[in-house]
Structures are given as C-alpha cells and as structure tokens.
Amino acid sequence: MAGRPVRPTSAIDQTRRMLSLVTYLRERPGARIEDVARAFGISEDELVSDLDVLPMCGTSFRGGDLLDIDTDGERIWWHNPAALGADAAEPLRLAADEATALLVAARAVATLPGLRESDRQALLRATAKVEAAAGEAAGASSRLSVTFESEGGVFADVDRAISERRRLWIRYYSPARDEVTEREIDPIRLVSVGHTYVEAWCRRSEARRTFRLDRVAEIKILDEPSAPPEIELRDLSEALVQPAAEDPEVVVEVGPGGRWVAEYYPHDSAEELDDGGLRITLRTPDPASLRRLALRLGRDGRIVSPPELAESARRAAREALAAYEDEAAARAAGGAGTAAV
C-alpha cells in the first residue's frame, strides 16, 4: 500500500495477530479480504500470507483437526470452525515425547538474552502448568538441555528493540566486502526468507538496509529511541533483494549451466543467446557483491559491464586460482618431504 508509514512488526506480533484472526474469522464466515485487512491494519498481501499459514495449525495433524480455511481471492471461508470449539472431539493430550520436546524448548527459550521479563515470566508459568499436566513424562525433560547459537540472542535483542522502539548498535560482517563494520540502526521488522533478517534504517548509510542475523558479530540495545523515517514497507514474498530504478545496471552473460541466475536474481531483462545461455540485465545497489556470483559461475558465466566490475571479477578469479595453486603446491611439497623421510 503506497505511502503507508512504517509499522514495527515482529514474529511475536504476527503470532498475536494470527491468534486474533482465528477468532475474528470464526465469527464472520465469508468475510471480505479487504474488510479483514482493514480491520487488522495490514495489507491484503500480508493477510493472504497469514491465511497460507493458518491451515497448518490445529489441535493435531489428524484429519479434521487442522484449520480448514481458504479464500477465493475475494472472501474467506472457514469450513470446520468446530475444530477449535467447545464441542471439539476430545481435549488435547500430549504424548510423553511431545511433552518432553515442549518442556525442553520452553526452558531453552526462557533463557534467551534480551527476552522481555513479562514474556519470560509468562513462559515459566505456562511451563509449570505443562510439567504438572505431564506428570512422570516431565522427568525426562529435566535431564535434557538446549543451547541456542548466537543468532538466538541476536533475534531476542532485535525483537525487544522493535517492541520498545529503541535503536541498536551492531558489528556486522559483510561478505561482499569481507569486512566487519560498526553501525547504528533503527530496526523496522524481522523477516524470514531462507534466513532471518532485520530490515532497518541504517544511520551510517542513511538508507534502508537488510541485515542477516547470523552475520551480526555483536549487538547492543541503545537508550536512544528508534526513529526510522516513514517509508513504504516492501512485499518481500518474491525476493529479499529488490533493486530500485536508480541502482547501477549490471550485465551478466551466462551459459546453459548458469540459466538459474535469471530465476534467483530480480532482473530487468533476460535475452536468449545462440549457445543456449542468457544475457541478463539487472540492477543492484552494490555491484561489487556480484563478484561472488561471477566466481560461483566459473566457466558458466561472466560479467560484461560495467567494465570496472568485469575487470574486478577477473582479478578476483585469478587471485583465487593462484591461491589454490599455491596451496596445492605446498601440499605436494609436504607430501614429498614426508616420503623422503
């Protein structure tokens, strides 16, 4: 929706919205998509994305227990609202392995740094209730533990900063430049497209940027309030990287083995070549990042323009080859020395 102001969202916000959506739709069979989206203050695309997830939810994975919700593009229908009603077939029961998995996960989440104290306490109360209900099955869970990798702590800090509308300081590794930089960012939302990212306003570049959480080397929540400018939220369902018209143009030629580039990279055009390859024209805010693509393609592709980027890619390829040959020679020399002994 053009001109919509920034609306900070997170995975927790989306979960809360979807829980409310279940109640809302159950009471309004045949509700119009545009009316529901307006009621929840989201775009129709965001609503449809939620509807794609809801049919995977329910009291179990048995037939009839999952939410049977669909849409004809204009209205939303719920075919089995009784699945979550008081007259549902039977109360939810957890098997021993299900109770163990749930308790271990709950205790692990409760230890995440940056988790809001109110959420931590609510989680601990819920965990205690599950333990009481599980009985002997809860004993096994006490002997197991889970340690989250660093991304878990980063996620919790970002989620907290979004909720409290506070700025973040991060040390971030950029593989395109092979460097770690320090930045202050105003987080806007968490998104998951293969990996988990935070979309934010970067104070260093004075522009919107997307940061992959597992590349954040260090993070701190600052006292300064987060104040990103009013910008339109992008639909990231098609691709995380969405070039702008003013971004530099890059031309890449690929052989038959590199046609996948046109499927994974947003592009302006893809012309067929006589050898079965493609001449792809695309835009990117950071042309240097495409050097890695050129190295990955190898013989299946090359950068044609701009000339300076094409030369940079060739130089990177020569340096990579020389390093490989030096390592191979060193290994061969080491092997020969060992044989002589």
Side-chain angles (χ1 to χ4, degrees):
M1 185 179 295
R4 170 179 290 173
V6 168
R7 180 183 64 256
T9 60
S10 69
I12 292 177
D13 291 331
Q14 184 185 21
T15 301
R16 290 170 178 159
R17 182 178 72 233
M18 291 175 67
L19 290 173
S20 300
L21 189 60
V22 168
T23 302
Y24 186 94
L25 293 178
R26 187 179 180 196
E27 297 173 353
R28 296 168 178 81
R32 296 178 63 86
I33 285 182
E34 59 181 336
D35 294 337
V36 179
R38 187 183 306 111
F40 281 81
I42 59 177
S43 70
E44 293 183 20
D45 286 341
E46 287 175 301
L47 174 60
V48 171
S49 178
D50 287 349
L51 295 177
D52 288 340
V53 175
L54 283 178
M56 291 182 274
C57 305
T59 57
S60 78
F61 287 99
R62 296 174 300 180
D65 289 342
L66 294 176
L67 306 187
D68 188 3
I69 299 176
D70 67 10
T71 175
D72 59 4
E74 183 176 348
R75 294 181 178 275
I76 306 168
W77 301 98
W78 189 340
H79 301 295
N80 65 337
L84 294 185
D87 55 345
E90 60 182 56
L92 176 63
R93 298 181 184 277
L94 293 176
D97 58 339
E98 293 173 326
T100 299
L102 182 59
L103 289 169
V104 170
R107 292 194 189 105
V109 171
T111 65
L112 282 176
L115 188 66
R116 292 191 293 274
E117 188 59 27
S118 59
D119 291 337
R120 191 189 312 277
Q121 293 303 318
L123 182 58
L124 291 175
R125 288 194 297 271
T127 303
K129 292 179 181 179
V130 174
E131 287 179 332
E136 294 182 1
S141 67
S142 64
R143 297 189 294 273
L144 301 173
S145 63
V146 172
T147 301
F148 285 101
E149 295 182 1
S150 59
E151 183 177 327
V154 173
F155 181 98
D157 283 341
V158 173
D159 181 64
R160 178 184 170 192
I162 291 174
S163 176
E164 299 179 1
R165 304 195 179 203
R166 292 165 63 183
R167 186 171 298 176
L168 288 167
W169 172 88
I170 62 173
R171 290 180 65 243
Y172 186 76
Y173 172 67
S174 173
R177 298 182 178 86
D178 192 25
E179 64 178 2
V180 176
T181 58
E182 296 184 8
R183 304 166 183 261
E184 288 190 8
I185 62 173
D186 292 336
I188 298 171
R189 59 175 173 170
L190 285 159
V191 295
S192 181
V193 185
H195 295 276
T196 305
Y197 302 80
V198 56
E199 188 174 18
W201 184 261
C202 178
R203 293 291 166 178
R204 181 182 180 205
S205 58
E206 286 299 314
R208 172 167 44 192
R209 292 289 184 265
T210 305
F211 302 96
R212 208 168 107 176
L213 296 196
D214 61 356
R215 291 176 180 164
V216 175
E218 189 177 352
I219 185 169
K220 295 177 183 177
I221 301 177
L222 303 179
D223 292 332
E224 288 88 347
S226 173
E230 293 190 356
I231 52 179
E232 180 183 356
L233 291 179
R234 302 173 296 174
D235 177 11
L236 301 178
S237 59
E238 293 297 326
L240 185 68
V241 179
Q242 298 180 348
E246 63 271 16
D247 288 340
E249 182 180 273
V250 178
V251 178
V252 180
E253 288 188 354
V254 299
R259 293 178 67 95
W260 57 266
V261 174
E263 299 177 9
Y264 285 89
Y265 285 79
H267 54 277
D268 294 338
S269 64
E271 305 172 15
E272 292 285 346
L273 298 177
D274 293 339
D275 64 353
L278 294 172
R279 182 183 178 90
I280 303 169
T281 302
L282 52 84
R283 295 181 182 277
T284 173
D286 184 16
S289 64
L290 294 181
R291 284 181 301 190
R292 295 183 68 203
L293 172 63
L295 291 174
R296 181 180 177 186
L297 285 168
R299 296 180 181 274
D300 286 326
R302 66 188 182 97
I303 295 174
V304 176
S305 69
E308 59 273 18
L309 179 59
E311 175 56 32
S312 174
R314 286 192 291 269
R315 184 168 58 251
R318 289 194 295 267
E319 291 173 354
L321 179 61
Y324 173 79
E325 291 175 344
D326 289 345
E327 182 178 355
R331 288 179 177 176
T338 301
V341 174

